[in-house]
Amino acid sequence: MAGRDEMKLLGACFSPFAHRVEVTLKLKGISYEVIEQDLQNKSHSLLQFNSVYKRIPVLIHNGKPISESVVIIEYLDDICKQNPLFSPDPYQKAMARFWAKFAEEKFTEVVRKIIVTEGEEQEKQVKLAIEALEILEAELNGNKYFGGEIFGFVDIVLCWISRWVGVIEKTADVAILDLEKFPNLEAWIQNVLHLPIVKETMPPHDKLIQYFAKIRQFALASAAAN
């Protein structure tokens, strides 16, 4: 990357997806500017640079926008070879992409639903989330990170677990991540939280609680009204 390259990130402190991108930028040693977004009053920049989904994060590199956190992470790995996120082995790279996709579809998307549901539907989603964690626990198999000894692509995709899951458990009054049941994940979380690039970008716990409590309250009130 050229020294004159300009990186701007349209994000928000409460977003685990923007957090992933910030962790990647810091890991790569790339200078960037965060432009905090209010999703209740979406900025002209957000609507302009992500006219399809109209959501964060959006990375603007020399005026060119890239949307969707996983796409952004891979883009950053392509343009900056420092601290590569993938093994050079094609099979290992394919497996990293497989596990990231599994995590997104079978855990992240399920947890989204836990926030905004209650009763039997919420119980169903909690069960699905725990089943996904059981599979991820087995995949870790005692390794420091999902890629072995090196913090990489799958770890970045999942690093939001280390702070956001506890917040969601509290605001939705559910139990998802039993650390006694998942010792590999507990060790992994501690390894992730000790990384300066993760700690430096981690939002305050109380702000996350307030944000997700409002999201849940609004979602349940809307569901009741309908």
Side-chain angles (χ1 to χ4, degrees), residues 1-125:
M1 285 183 60
R4 64 180 181 276
D5 282 0
E6 180 183 64
M7 291 282 186
K8 294 182 179 181
L9 176 62
L10 305 184
C13 68
F14 57 79
S15 170
F17 307 104
H19 179 255
R20 292 171 175 170
V21 177
E22 282 207 72
V23 168
T24 307
L25 287 161
K26 285 188 174 291
L27 180 65
K28 295 287 185 178
I30 300 171
S31 297
Y32 64 98
E33 175 189 358
V34 176
I35 303 175
E36 195 78 11
Q37 300 295 300
D38 177 2
L39 299 188
Q40 302 303 314
N41 184 23
K42 295 180 180 179
S43 69
H44 173 74
S45 293
L46 179 58
L47 297 176
Q48 174 190 359
F49 288 118
N50 191 358
S51 59
V52 176
Y53 292 116
K54 302 178 178 64
R55 65 189 182 197
I56 57 173
V58 179
L59 182 73
I60 306 168
H61 181 198
N62 292 336
K64 296 180 179 179
I66 305 97
S67 303
E68 298 300 296
S69 61
V70 172
V71 175
I72 296 169
I73 293 166
E74 290 207 49
Y75 173 80
L76 290 170
D77 197 48
D78 285 339
I79 66 171
C80 181
K81 301 307 178 185
Q82 180 178 330
N83 296 324
L85 303 182
F86 294 97
S87 165
D89 178 75
Y91 177 77
Q92 294 301 323
K93 187 172 185 178
M95 288 298 96
R97 284 179 167 146
F98 170 85
W99 285 110
K101 188 172 188 294
F102 171 86
E104 288 291 84
E105 293 179 355
K106 300 299 185 180
F107 187 70
T108 305
E109 290 303 316
V110 170
V111 172
R112 280 182 191 252
K113 295 174 184 176
I114 291 171
I115 301 167
V116 298
T117 55
E118 58 184 346
E120 290 184 5
E121 179 59 27
Q122 187 186 65
E123 290 173 8
K124 174 186 172 183
Q125 300 304 325

Side-chain angles (χ1 to χ4, degrees), residues 130 133 169 175-183 186:
I130 293 171
L133 287 177
E169 286 179 316
I176 303 169
L177 181 55
D178 182 343
L179 295 179
E180 291 186 5
K181 183 179 178 180
F182 300 114
E186 179 184 16

